[in-house]
Amino acid sequence: MMTQEMPHMLRCLEEAQPLDEFNASCKEVHDTSNMKKSEVSEVMAKADMKPKSIHHAKKWSEEVENLYRFQQAGYRDEVEYKQVKQVDMVEYWPETGFVKKLQRRDNTFYYYDKQRECEDKQVHKVKVYEY
């Protein structure tokens, strides 16, 4: 019998034969069937990434706008969002390239406009992480 199938989680298998010291009842299975190989390696590589340095933004840019949106939703940046939520894509507005929708850690959603939302007085609060 299999437990609920979730990517990057352990899935237990019921075995008919007795277990010995080299046989396990649980096997680690990564569900990467819906991802391209480049996306898989990118997600796996980013799973261990930790920022090396941090500084606050001085002036507004598209990067600062997207960081503002991730940080408003409770994540440091896109890398942490993908790691925590185990998603391989974030929704962006095609017209502006800004983040469109994010899911918070409590599973509620933030929906963002196409236009700029980070006002000039908020720019200095945005943290920019260097990897």
Side-chain angles (χ1 to χ4, degrees):
M1 178 176 195
M2 290 185 207
T3 61
Q4 183 179 1
E5 203 173 313
M6 296 179 73
H8 309 292
M9 299 296 286
L10 291 178
R11 190 174 3 162
C12 293
L13 304 171
E14 199 177 85
E15 296 183 358
Q17 59 192 11
L19 298 175
D20 61 19
E21 62 183 297
F22 299 107
N23 203 3
S25 63
C26 292
K27 296 180 181 178
E28 188 173 353
V29 178
H30 293 286
D31 182 17
T32 56
S33 59
N34 62 346
M35 298 170 68
K36 297 177 188 171
K37 284 194 177 203
S38 61
E39 291 173 346
V40 172
S41 59
E42 181 182 355
V43 170
M44 293 301 210
K46 288 183 177 181
D48 298 7
M49 291 182 67
K50 298 211 179 348
K52 293 180 181 170
S53 66
I54 180 177
H55 67 275
H56 289 269
K58 303 289 185 229
K59 66 180 205 173
W60 185 90
S61 69
E62 289 182 15
E63 178 189 12
V64 170
E65 178 67 33
N66 282 331
L67 286 171
Y68 172 78
R69 293 173 186 218
F70 281 108
Q71 291 170 17
Q72 193 178 38
Y75 303 96
R76 110 181 130 228
D77 54 17
E78 184 175 358
V79 173
E80 185 183 37
Y81 180 77
K82 287 180 175 180
Q83 182 181 356
V84 171
K85 288 298 176 187
Q86 297 183 349
V87 296
D88 53 334
M89 288 191 51
V90 177
E91 287 188 48
Y92 291 91
W93 288 105
E95 300 89 349
T96 60
F98 297 151
V99 174
K100 184 176 187 178
K101 175 179 78 171
L102 293 173
Q103 188 175 11
R104 295 184 346 180
R105 292 175 193 258
D106 65 359
N107 294 326
T108 58
F109 287 88
Y110 275 167
Y111 295 91
Y112 298 101
D113 292 332
K114 293 178 190 177
Q115 297 87 7
R116 174 181 173 177
E117 292 195 7
C118 180
E119 299 175 11
D120 286 333
K121 64 182 179 182
Q122 300 292 329
V123 169
H124 72 281
K125 295 179 184 177
V126 176
K127 297 175 185 174
V128 181
Y129 295 89
E130 302 292 330
Y131 292 93

